[in-house]
Short mmCIF file of all heavy atoms in Angstrom, two decimals:
data_model
loop_
_atom_site.label_atom_id
_atom_site.label_comp_id
_atom_site.label_asym_id
_atom_site.label_seq_id
_atom_site.Cartn_x
_atom_site.Cartn_y
_atom_site.Cartn_z
N PHE A 86 15.87 21.28 3.49
CA PHE A 86 16.99 20.55 4.02
C PHE A 86 17.23 19.35 3.14
O PHE A 86 16.41 18.49 2.97
CB PHE A 86 16.69 20.16 5.45
CG PHE A 86 17.87 19.56 6.14
CD1 PHE A 86 18.98 20.30 6.39
CD2 PHE A 86 17.87 18.22 6.50
CE1 PHE A 86 20.04 19.73 7.02
CE2 PHE A 86 18.93 17.68 7.13
CZ PHE A 86 20.03 18.45 7.39
N ASP A 87 18.46 19.31 2.69
CA ASP A 87 18.80 18.25 1.76
C ASP A 87 19.87 17.38 2.41
O ASP A 87 20.83 17.87 2.98
CB ASP A 87 19.29 18.90 0.48
CG ASP A 87 19.38 17.93 -0.65
OD1 ASP A 87 18.93 16.82 -0.49
OD2 ASP A 87 19.96 18.32 -1.67
N PHE A 88 19.65 16.06 2.23
CA PHE A 88 20.61 15.13 2.81
C PHE A 88 21.96 15.19 2.08
O PHE A 88 22.98 14.92 2.67
CB PHE A 88 20.06 13.70 2.80
CG PHE A 88 19.13 13.45 3.92
CD1 PHE A 88 17.76 13.32 3.70
CD2 PHE A 88 19.59 13.32 5.22
CE1 PHE A 88 16.90 13.09 4.73
CE2 PHE A 88 18.69 13.09 6.24
CZ PHE A 88 17.36 12.97 6.01
N ASN A 89 21.91 15.56 0.89
CA ASN A 89 23.18 15.70 0.14
C ASN A 89 24.06 16.79 0.74
O ASN A 89 25.28 16.66 0.79
CB ASN A 89 22.89 16.06 -1.31
CG ASN A 89 22.59 14.83 -2.13
OD1 ASN A 89 23.01 13.74 -1.76
ND2 ASN A 89 21.92 15.02 -3.22
N LEU A 90 23.35 17.80 1.12
CA LEU A 90 24.11 18.89 1.74
C LEU A 90 24.72 18.43 3.05
O LEU A 90 25.86 18.76 3.37
CB LEU A 90 23.17 20.08 1.94
CG LEU A 90 23.80 21.31 2.54
CD1 LEU A 90 24.85 21.93 1.61
CD2 LEU A 90 22.73 22.31 2.87
N LEU A 91 23.97 17.68 3.81
CA LEU A 91 24.46 17.15 5.08
C LEU A 91 25.64 16.23 4.84
O LEU A 91 26.67 16.32 5.53
CB LEU A 91 23.33 16.43 5.80
CG LEU A 91 23.70 15.82 7.13
CD1 LEU A 91 24.08 16.88 8.15
CD2 LEU A 91 22.58 14.96 7.63
N TRP A 92 25.54 15.34 3.87
CA TRP A 92 26.64 14.43 3.56
C TRP A 92 27.86 15.21 3.03
O TRP A 92 29.00 14.89 3.38
CB TRP A 92 26.23 13.40 2.51
CG TRP A 92 25.42 12.28 3.11
CD1 TRP A 92 24.13 12.00 2.89
CD2 TRP A 92 25.89 11.34 4.02
NE1 TRP A 92 23.72 10.95 3.61
CE2 TRP A 92 24.82 10.49 4.35
CE3 TRP A 92 27.09 11.06 4.67
CZ2 TRP A 92 24.91 9.43 5.23
CZ3 TRP A 92 27.15 9.99 5.53
CH2 TRP A 92 26.10 9.20 5.80
N THR A 93 27.63 16.21 2.35
CA THR A 93 28.73 17.03 1.85
C THR A 93 29.44 17.71 3.00
O THR A 93 30.68 17.75 3.06
CB THR A 93 28.21 18.07 0.85
OG1 THR A 93 27.53 17.41 -0.19
CG2 THR A 93 29.34 18.90 0.27
N VAL A 94 28.68 18.23 3.92
CA VAL A 94 29.27 18.89 5.10
C VAL A 94 30.02 17.85 5.93
O VAL A 94 31.15 18.10 6.41
CB VAL A 94 28.18 19.62 5.92
CG1 VAL A 94 28.72 20.08 7.26
CG2 VAL A 94 27.61 20.76 5.15
N ILE A 95 29.45 16.69 6.12
CA ILE A 95 30.10 15.64 6.92
C ILE A 95 31.38 15.21 6.20
O ILE A 95 32.43 15.03 6.83
CB ILE A 95 29.14 14.45 7.15
CG1 ILE A 95 28.02 14.87 8.10
CG2 ILE A 95 29.90 13.25 7.70
CD1 ILE A 95 26.96 13.82 8.30
N ASN A 96 31.29 15.06 4.89
CA ASN A 96 32.47 14.67 4.12
C ASN A 96 33.58 15.74 4.24
O ASN A 96 34.76 15.42 4.37
CB ASN A 96 32.11 14.47 2.65
CG ASN A 96 31.52 13.10 2.39
OD1 ASN A 96 31.77 12.17 3.13
ND2 ASN A 96 30.76 12.99 1.32
N LEU A 97 33.13 16.97 4.18
CA LEU A 97 34.11 18.06 4.31
C LEU A 97 34.75 18.05 5.70
O LEU A 97 35.97 18.26 5.83
CB LEU A 97 33.47 19.41 4.05
CG LEU A 97 33.29 19.78 2.60
CD1 LEU A 97 32.52 21.08 2.48
CD2 LEU A 97 34.62 19.90 1.90
N VAL A 98 34.00 17.84 6.73
CA VAL A 98 34.54 17.80 8.10
C VAL A 98 35.49 16.61 8.23
O VAL A 98 36.59 16.72 8.79
CB VAL A 98 33.39 17.74 9.14
CG1 VAL A 98 33.93 17.43 10.54
CG2 VAL A 98 32.62 19.03 9.14
N ILE A 99 35.09 15.45 7.74
CA ILE A 99 35.95 14.26 7.82
C ILE A 99 37.23 14.50 6.99
O ILE A 99 38.35 14.19 7.43
CB ILE A 99 35.19 13.01 7.34
CG1 ILE A 99 34.11 12.64 8.34
CG2 ILE A 99 36.15 11.83 7.14
CD1 ILE A 99 33.20 11.51 7.90
N PHE A 100 37.02 15.04 5.79
CA PHE A 100 38.18 15.34 4.94
C PHE A 100 39.13 16.33 5.63
O PHE A 100 40.35 16.16 5.61
CB PHE A 100 37.69 15.90 3.60
CG PHE A 100 38.77 16.15 2.63
CD1 PHE A 100 39.48 15.11 2.05
CD2 PHE A 100 39.12 17.46 2.31
CE1 PHE A 100 40.50 15.36 1.17
CE2 PHE A 100 40.14 17.72 1.43
CZ PHE A 100 40.84 16.68 0.85
N PHE A 101 38.55 17.34 6.29
CA PHE A 101 39.37 18.31 7.02
C PHE A 101 40.13 17.65 8.16
O PHE A 101 41.32 17.91 8.37
CB PHE A 101 38.48 19.46 7.54
CG PHE A 101 39.22 20.43 8.39
CD1 PHE A 101 40.11 21.35 7.84
CD2 PHE A 101 39.07 20.43 9.78
CE1 PHE A 101 40.81 22.25 8.63
CE2 PHE A 101 39.77 21.32 10.56
CZ PHE A 101 40.64 22.23 9.98
N LEU A 102 39.47 16.78 8.93
CA LEU A 102 40.11 16.10 10.04
C LEU A 102 41.23 15.17 9.54
O LEU A 102 42.30 15.11 10.13
CB LEU A 102 39.09 15.32 10.86
CG LEU A 102 38.11 16.15 11.68
CD1 LEU A 102 37.08 15.24 12.35
CD2 LEU A 102 38.82 16.98 12.72
N LEU A 103 40.94 14.48 8.45
CA LEU A 103 41.96 13.60 7.89
C LEU A 103 43.15 14.41 7.37
O LEU A 103 44.31 14.03 7.55
CB LEU A 103 41.37 12.74 6.77
CG LEU A 103 40.45 11.60 7.22
CD1 LEU A 103 39.84 10.91 6.00
CD2 LEU A 103 41.19 10.60 8.07
N MET A 104 42.83 15.50 6.71
CA MET A 104 43.90 16.37 6.21
C MET A 104 44.72 16.92 7.37
O MET A 104 45.94 17.01 7.30
CB MET A 104 43.33 17.54 5.41
CG MET A 104 42.68 17.16 4.14
SD MET A 104 43.80 17.13 2.78
CE MET A 104 44.13 18.80 2.52
N ARG A 105 44.03 17.30 8.39
CA ARG A 105 44.71 17.84 9.57
C ARG A 105 45.61 16.78 10.18
O ARG A 105 46.74 17.07 10.56
CB ARG A 105 43.68 18.34 10.57
CG ARG A 105 44.28 19.07 11.71
CD ARG A 105 43.21 19.70 12.55
NE ARG A 105 43.83 20.28 13.72
CZ ARG A 105 43.22 20.48 14.84
NH1 ARG A 105 41.96 20.18 14.96
NH2 ARG A 105 43.85 21.00 15.85
N LEU A 106 45.08 15.58 10.29
CA LEU A 106 45.83 14.49 10.91
C LEU A 106 47.00 14.04 10.04
O LEU A 106 48.11 13.89 10.52
CB LEU A 106 44.88 13.32 11.19
CG LEU A 106 45.49 12.10 11.87
CD1 LEU A 106 45.95 12.43 13.27
CD2 LEU A 106 44.49 10.97 11.90
N PHE A 107 46.78 13.84 8.78
CA PHE A 107 47.81 13.26 7.93
C PHE A 107 48.62 14.27 7.11
O PHE A 107 49.69 13.95 6.64
CB PHE A 107 47.18 12.23 6.96
CG PHE A 107 46.66 11.01 7.67
CD1 PHE A 107 45.29 10.79 7.77
CD2 PHE A 107 47.52 10.10 8.25
CE1 PHE A 107 44.80 9.67 8.43
CE2 PHE A 107 47.02 8.98 8.90
CZ PHE A 107 45.67 8.77 8.99
N LEU A 108 48.13 15.45 6.95
CA LEU A 108 48.83 16.41 6.12
C LEU A 108 49.36 17.59 6.92
O LEU A 108 50.54 17.91 6.85
CB LEU A 108 47.92 16.90 5.00
CG LEU A 108 48.56 17.82 3.97
CD1 LEU A 108 49.63 17.07 3.20
CD2 LEU A 108 47.50 18.37 3.03
N PHE A 109 48.54 18.23 7.66
CA PHE A 109 48.95 19.45 8.36
C PHE A 109 49.97 19.18 9.48
O PHE A 109 50.93 19.93 9.64
CB PHE A 109 47.74 20.20 8.93
CG PHE A 109 46.82 20.76 7.89
CD1 PHE A 109 45.45 20.85 8.12
CD2 PHE A 109 47.30 21.21 6.67
CE1 PHE A 109 44.60 21.37 7.17
CE2 PHE A 109 46.46 21.74 5.72
CZ PHE A 109 45.10 21.81 5.96
N LYS A 110 49.77 18.13 10.27
CA LYS A 110 50.71 17.83 11.36
C LYS A 110 52.10 17.52 10.82
O LYS A 110 53.08 18.07 11.31
CB LYS A 110 50.18 16.71 12.25
CG LYS A 110 49.12 17.17 13.22
CD LYS A 110 48.76 16.08 14.21
CE LYS A 110 47.70 16.59 15.16
NZ LYS A 110 47.31 15.60 16.15
N PRO A 111 52.26 16.63 9.80
CA PRO A 111 53.60 16.39 9.26
C PRO A 111 54.21 17.64 8.63
O PRO A 111 55.41 17.89 8.77
CB PRO A 111 53.40 15.30 8.22
CG PRO A 111 52.15 14.61 8.59
CD PRO A 111 51.30 15.65 9.25
N ILE A 112 53.38 18.42 7.98
CA ILE A 112 53.90 19.65 7.38
C ILE A 112 54.37 20.60 8.49
O ILE A 112 55.43 21.22 8.38
CB ILE A 112 52.85 20.30 6.47
CG1 ILE A 112 52.69 19.47 5.19
CG2 ILE A 112 53.24 21.73 6.12
CD1 ILE A 112 51.61 19.95 4.26
N LYS A 113 53.57 20.71 9.57
CA LYS A 113 53.98 21.57 10.69
C LYS A 113 55.27 21.06 11.33
O LYS A 113 56.14 21.85 11.69
CB LYS A 113 52.86 21.64 11.76
CG LYS A 113 51.76 22.59 11.42
CD LYS A 113 50.79 22.69 12.60
CE LYS A 113 49.70 23.69 12.29
NZ LYS A 113 48.74 23.82 13.39
N LYS A 114 55.40 19.73 11.45
CA LYS A 114 56.63 19.16 11.99
C LYS A 114 57.82 19.50 11.08
O LYS A 114 58.88 19.87 11.54
CB LYS A 114 56.52 17.64 12.15
CG LYS A 114 55.78 17.18 13.37
CD LYS A 114 55.84 15.65 13.43
CE LYS A 114 55.08 15.12 14.63
NZ LYS A 114 55.10 13.66 14.69
N THR A 115 57.60 19.31 9.78
CA THR A 115 58.67 19.60 8.82
C THR A 115 59.05 21.07 8.86
O THR A 115 60.23 21.44 8.87
CB THR A 115 58.23 19.20 7.40
OG1 THR A 115 57.87 17.83 7.39
CG2 THR A 115 59.34 19.46 6.40
N LEU A 116 58.06 21.93 8.91
CA LEU A 116 58.32 23.37 8.99
C LEU A 116 59.04 23.73 10.29
O LEU A 116 59.96 24.56 10.29
CB LEU A 116 57.02 24.16 8.84
CG LEU A 116 56.38 24.17 7.44
CD1 LEU A 116 55.05 24.91 7.47
CD2 LEU A 116 57.32 24.83 6.45
N ALA A 117 58.62 23.11 11.41
CA ALA A 117 59.27 23.36 12.69
C ALA A 117 60.73 22.88 12.65
O ALA A 117 61.65 23.56 13.15
CB ALA A 117 58.50 22.69 13.83
N ALA A 118 60.95 21.72 12.04
CA ALA A 118 62.31 21.19 11.94
C ALA A 118 63.17 22.09 11.05
O ALA A 118 64.33 22.39 11.38
CB ALA A 118 62.28 19.77 11.38
N ARG A 119 62.59 22.56 9.95
CA ARG A 119 63.33 23.48 9.08
C ARG A 119 63.62 24.79 9.78
O ARG A 119 64.70 25.36 9.63
CB ARG A 119 62.55 23.74 7.80
CG ARG A 119 62.65 22.61 6.84
CD ARG A 119 62.16 23.02 5.52
NE ARG A 119 63.01 22.39 4.53
CZ ARG A 119 63.00 22.67 3.27
NH1 ARG A 119 62.21 23.60 2.82
NH2 ARG A 119 63.77 22.02 2.45
N GLU A 120 62.62 25.27 10.52
CA GLU A 120 62.83 26.52 11.27
C GLU A 120 63.96 26.35 12.30
O GLU A 120 64.83 27.21 12.43
CB GLU A 120 61.52 26.93 11.96
CG GLU A 120 61.60 28.27 12.66
CD GLU A 120 60.29 28.66 13.32
OE1 GLU A 120 59.25 28.03 13.06
OE2 GLU A 120 60.33 29.61 14.11
N GLU A 121 63.96 25.21 12.98
CA GLU A 121 65.02 24.92 13.96
C GLU A 121 66.38 24.80 13.26
O GLU A 121 67.39 25.32 13.73
CB GLU A 121 64.68 23.63 14.72
CG GLU A 121 65.65 23.29 15.82
CD GLU A 121 65.61 24.30 16.97
OE1 GLU A 121 64.57 24.91 17.23
OE2 GLU A 121 66.67 24.48 17.61
N MET A 122 66.38 24.14 12.10
CA MET A 122 67.61 24.00 11.34
C MET A 122 68.12 25.37 10.89
O MET A 122 69.32 25.67 10.99
CB MET A 122 67.38 23.10 10.12
CG MET A 122 68.63 22.83 9.30
SD MET A 122 68.31 21.82 7.86
CE MET A 122 67.48 23.00 6.82
#
């Protein structure tokens, strides 16, 4: 068990959550708006 691996996994989870929060939601909104348009 390596702590680097743990930090990498934690970083990936945080990165995923941040991406989801700041990237995926606006993209989904934009796509939904375009679909509605």
Side-chain angles (χ1 to χ4, degrees):
F86 187 66
D87 193 8
F88 279 108
N89 276 336
L90 182 66
L91 179 65
W92 281 113
T93 304
V94 170
I95 290 175
N96 278 336
L97 279 175
V98 169
I99 290 174
F100 184 69
F101 175 74
L102 290 175
L103 286 175
M104 293 271 289
R105 188 172 174 205
L106 181 66
F107 292 110
L108 185 65
F109 293 147
K110 281 188 180 181
I112 288 176
K113 280 186 178 180
K114 280 184 181 179
T115 303
L116 289 176
R119 282 194 143 190
E120 185 179 348
E121 184 66 29
M122 183 181 74

